[in-house]
Amino acid sequence: MSAGRRRITMVLVHAAIVQVLTFAVRPNLSYAVLDGGGSAALLGIIAAAFAIPALLMALPAGHAVDRIGERPALVLGSAAIVVACIIAALAGDSFVMLVIATIILGCGHLMSVVGDQAMMANAPGDRGLDSRFGLYAFAASIGQVVGPLLLTLPGGTRETPPVQLIFIVCTGIAVVLLVLSSLMGSTRRHAPGVRVGMRSTAVGLLRMPGIPQAMIASAIVLASVDLFLAYVPALGHERGFTAEIVSLMLVVRSLMSMFSRLFLSQLIALVGRRALLVSTVLISAVMLGCMILPLPVVLFLVLSAVYGFAVGTCQPITMAWISELAPPGSRGLAMSLRVASNRVGQTALPAVFGTFAVATGSGGVLAVTGVALLGAAWAAASLVNRSTGGEAEPSLPEG
């Protein structure tokens, strides 16, 4: 195995473990709050405590990655996750300690994600950027599937998993992540003595044709996934679907997204990046829009499957496009800008679109989300046209 392939493989394993920990610890923190006598209203504070670091630290984190390399960010992020798990395990019934653990977890997650994505963008190898980020998204999806399974560890009650045991197990997994991070070398960075301002670099990136459009498309697409996860159970309740059908809709969506990411490079070779990006966003919009209709259960499963396949291709393509447009030495900052814009979209759009639930029901929320995806398709088309001059697509770097 070449050095480039080995580096990419380590990033994929690292990304999967980060998501395993995130998708196990975050719901377990919620259970810890409820188990300690806290109300469900306090879970909003826990959610905000995880999101705030991405908004406040994203640009400094990305800038630091560009200045000193990815390895310090990965080590610091892994160490933060270890500390978060230890604090959570020792918190007991202390809500304040659980909030502190959540904040530290959010910081560790941010540093890890930015470091992984920057390394995928900068690492040499024989794969193009679309293929790399397709594999990266696939690895992250595996972690997101495996993580919640830790909640099934034995020792809990009917209503609550073994909270303490899960935090201890996650601490052990986080230590493994820290060891892996210490073995991962950085790719490229600025030469010693070169100083580039974070603000000026960020402004320069946002002024580059294509990058704002890619961030808009990415944020809307990711918010649509969050809204799908939040409102499909409510949709099932309104339409009289069984819990098994709702669960199957969610699982089918996840599996089809994983499937599309695994074969992303083949799909691009078949139809082209331009056609794939714009068409999959449009297909996602149509699938969600159709969920307002009174359709048979089997068609809702089909809509979920097609939506999952289509939406799964969008995130890795936008990651690849942003990293391709960003000049060398600024890709960490570009990835962190994308993370921050995603978090804004995930916070603002559900709050706005949720108001439609009163008048139109859950199907209406999903339909409005589909309309918003039309805006993402427009942004994606504008991104391609402006970054390529409306002609041939940029060639994919081979490392």
Side-chain angles (χ1 to χ4, degrees):
M1 181 183 295
S2 66
R5 286 177 178 267
R6 182 165 58 251
R7 187 189 299 270
I8 290 175
T9 299
M10 293 179 72
V11 174
L12 296 177
V13 174
H14 187 277
I17 297 176
V18 168
Q19 296 303 321
V20 167
L21 289 167
T22 302
F23 278 71
V25 175
R26 287 192 68 188
N28 202 49
L29 284 165
S30 297
Y31 276 118
V33 171
L34 299 175
D35 196 41
S39 66
L42 294 178
L43 300 185
I45 299 177
I46 291 292
F50 181 83
I52 287 173
L55 295 177
L56 299 182
M57 292 181 53
L59 296 189
H63 189 64
V65 168
D66 290 330
R67 304 284 73 74
I68 62 178
E70 300 92 351
R71 180 177 178 272
L74 296 176
V75 171
L76 182 60
S78 301
I81 295 175
V82 172
V83 172
C85 291
I86 292 174
I87 293 176
L90 299 176
D93 296 337
S94 173
F95 177 72
V96 172
M97 293 293 287
L98 292 173
V99 171
I100 292 173
T102 304
I103 293 173
I104 297 174
L105 177 68
C107 294
H109 176 266
L110 172 68
M111 296 296 292
S112 298
V113 168
V114 171
D116 281 338
Q117 292 183 8
M119 188 168 287
M120 291 299 284
N122 291 326
D126 57 356
R127 286 183 177 273
L129 285 173
D130 291 302
S131 177
R132 292 184 201 173
F133 281 110
L135 290 175
Y136 171 83
F138 178 76
S141 298
I142 292 177
Q144 293 169 10
V145 171
V146 174
L149 295 179
L150 294 179
L151 299 176
T152 64
L153 289 174
T157 64
R158 186 176 181 273
E159 296 82 14
T160 306
V163 172
Q164 190 81 2
L165 175 61
I166 293 171
F167 283 138
I168 293 173
V169 171
C170 287
T171 300
I173 297 174
V175 170
V176 174
L177 182 70
L178 179 58
V179 172
L180 176 62
S181 299
S182 66
L183 298 176
M184 298 170 67
S186 296
T187 56
R188 62 190 70 172
R189 59 181 181 271
H190 276 294
V194 176
R195 299 177 63 86
V196 181
M198 178 185 72
R199 183 176 300 177
S200 60
T201 305
V203 171
L205 286 170
L206 291 175
R207 287 177 176 173
M208 292 186 64
I211 286 185
Q213 292 90 335
M215 291 180 179
I216 291 171
S218 176
I220 296 175
V221 167
L222 195 58
S224 80
V225 175
D226 283 359
L227 285 161
F228 183 87
L229 295 176
Y231 281 95
V232 160
L235 177 70
H237 181 74
E238 294 169 0
R239 302 293 176 91
F241 297 166
T242 65
E244 289 77 12
I245 293 297
V246 172
S247 176
L248 188 57
M249 289 175 66
L250 297 173
V251 170
V252 165
R253 200 285 307 170
S254 298
L255 291 178
M256 292 302 289
S257 288
M258 290 175 62
F259 182 77
S260 67
R261 290 166 175 176
L262 185 60
F263 298 101
L264 183 61
S265 60
Q266 289 88 338
L267 290 172
I268 291 174
L270 181 65
V271 301
R273 184 200 272 179
R274 172 179 182 148
L276 183 65
L277 179 59
V278 177
S279 63
T280 52
V281 178
L282 287 174
I283 291 171
S284 301
V286 173
M287 295 302 104
L288 289 186
C290 288
M291 289 193 175
I292 197 173
L293 301 175
L295 302 172
V297 170
V298 65
L299 289 185
F300 275 98
L301 293 175
V302 173
L303 292 175
S304 300
V306 177
Y307 167 74
F309 186 92
V311 83
T313 66
C314 303
Q315 289 298 312
I317 291 179
T318 56
M319 279 190 280
W321 213 293
I322 290 173
S323 63
E324 187 175 83
L325 291 172
S330 66
R331 287 171 177 162
L333 187 58
M335 291 295 103
S336 66
L337 278 170
R338 178 185 170 276
V339 171
S341 66
N342 282 348
R343 197 57 56 90
V344 170
Q346 287 177 284
T347 303
L349 293 184
V352 173
F353 292 169
T355 60
F356 287 89
V358 176
T360 64
S362 300
V365 175
L366 294 174
V368 171
T369 305
V371 174
L373 281 171
L374 296 178
W378 170 85
S382 178
L383 178 160
V384 175
N385 289 334
R386 293 185 66 183
S387 63
T388 66
E391 299 174 358
E393 299 179 36
S395 60
L396 300 180
E398 294 300 326

